[in-house]
Amino acid sequence: MAQVDEKPNDPPGKSAGRPVDDSADKQAQAPQVSIWERMEKPAKAPRTTLTHAAIAAAAVEIADAEGLDAVSMRKLSGHLGVTTMALYRYVANKEELFELMLDEAYTKYRNPAVPDETWRDVLRVHAHQMRGIAMRHPWTVELALRSVVSITPRVMASVERALAAFDGLGLDIDAMADGQYAVMAYVRGAITDEVGHLELLKNRQWQSRDDLREAYAPHMKWLMETGRYPVYHRYGLGAVRKDDTEGRFEFGLDCVLDGIAAKLGI
């Protein structure tokens, strides 16, 4: 094959008007085929030093320890002991890396079928599994807030499990989807608040919610003394389950499930 010479006016490093493969270009261009489809296709040659699973696990380790903003291609490559460009043979951009991380977080999702289970049983387990993932990996909540694509195999498997809980109950597919979404929306709202408190404790190096209350006591004292919030004042003085986050989550979940049952007549 004849060699194509560089154009006289091309800057060094360009051939036939095409830029060399660099990370900036790769991050800027979204691939036409999803990472999951590409992973289904066998590699041309065995790659023993680096895998998608190893990349995902390392990125999750960084995010768990230092937060989502600490995850970068440069830091990840150093963590894995490879070049940054080596990573780009597996992930086209940072959004794909986030997809891998989210899928890795869902490896702990457990909602097996059991005999005589009801739709409520399935969705209760589903809700607690999602909460557990958020507690182990708080950055997953931030990913959802950033509107990062969450169409991964394991995430979709969890959605399928929740949606299928309504199958066979005589509902149309729209009603089934509405029921599943109601549970998902409740869980996301509840865990966003809970994770936010935990991250605040971590960032301020507080040991408990008592430390948080003590830090904000002067602000709260002034507000309560205005007399404008009498019911909340009564709550502050008399509530005994302020830190029962599990019980509060369960109460809210019961309300949602009861509402679904009433609304859909199931």
Side-chain angles (χ1 to χ4, degrees), residues 16 19-20 58 78 103 112 119 124 128 144-145 153 157-158 164-165 173 187 189 197 199 210 215 221 249:
V20 295
D103 199 68
W119 66 270
R124 186 179 301 281
H128 280 283
L145 295 175
S158 72
I173 195 64
V187 173
H197 277 90
E199 289 296 285
D210 285 336
K221 182 175 183 294
F249 182 84

Side-chain angles (χ1 to χ4, degrees), residues 45-219:
R47 294 171 177 172
T48 58
T49 58
L50 196 60
T51 63
H52 287 97
I55 292 170
V60 166
E61 186 177 336
I62 293 171
D64 286 347
E66 304 177 49
L68 194 60
D69 288 338
V71 179
S72 68
M73 290 298 197
R74 185 181 298 277
K75 187 164 190 172
L76 182 57
S77 63
H79 192 78
L80 289 165
V82 299
T83 65
T84 302
M85 287 308 302
L87 291 179
Y88 283 112
R89 290 198 289 268
Y90 294 80
V91 290
N93 49 45
K94 201 168 184 180
E95 183 165 314
E96 281 196 348
L97 176 61
F98 287 155
E99 288 186 59
L100 281 177
M101 292 169 62
L102 187 60
D103 199 68
E104 176 70 15
Y106 269 73
T107 57
K108 296 296 180 65
Y109 181 91
R110 297 288 184 273
N111 195 353
V114 298
D116 302 320
E117 65 186 4
T118 67
W119 66 270
R120 292 181 70 118
D121 296 332
V122 175
L123 290 173
R124 186 179 301 281
V125 173
H126 175 71
H128 280 283
Q129 287 292 307
M130 290 179 65
R131 178 174 179 260
I133 290 170
M135 295 301 103
R136 289 189 294 272
H137 309 291
W139 49 267
T140 59
V141 175
E142 187 176 347
L143 276 184
L145 295 175
R146 290 187 182 188
S147 299
V148 171
V149 174
S150 58
I151 307 174
T152 84
R154 290 189 178 105
V155 171
M156 289 304 300
S158 72
V159 174
E160 173 73 13
R161 179 65 170 137
L163 188 61
F166 297 106
D167 207 13
L169 299 179
L171 303 173
D172 62 43
I173 195 64
D174 287 316
M176 293 166 60
D178 288 343
Q180 181 269 334
Y181 182 79
V183 174
M184 181 182 70
Y186 165 69
V187 173
R188 283 183 174 174
I191 62 179
T192 296
D193 182 68
E194 190 172 357
V195 166
H197 277 90
L198 292 177
E199 289 296 285
L200 178 61
L201 295 179
K202 179 181 176 180
N203 293 337
R204 299 294 180 88
Q205 297 184 331
W206 292 331
Q207 299 301 311
S208 70
R209 290 174 182 260
D210 285 336
D211 292 336
L212 185 153
R213 283 187 280 266
E214 183 178 349
Y216 286 98
H219 303 74

Side-chain angles (χ1 to χ4, degrees), residues 217-235:
H219 303 74
M220 185 62 74
K221 182 175 183 294
W222 181 86
L223 286 169
M224 294 304 102
E225 287 178 348
T226 65
R228 300 168 189 164
Y229 318 100
V231 179
Y232 192 92
H233 193 192
R234 193 166 80 239
Y235 162 77

Side-chain angles (χ1 to χ4, degrees), residues 208-210 213 235 240-248:
S208 70
R209 290 174 182 260
D210 285 336
R213 283 187 280 266
Y235 162 77
V240 296
R241 298 193 302 275
K242 295 176 185 176
D243 296 337
D244 183 11
T245 54
E246 179 77 23
R248 184 173 291 117

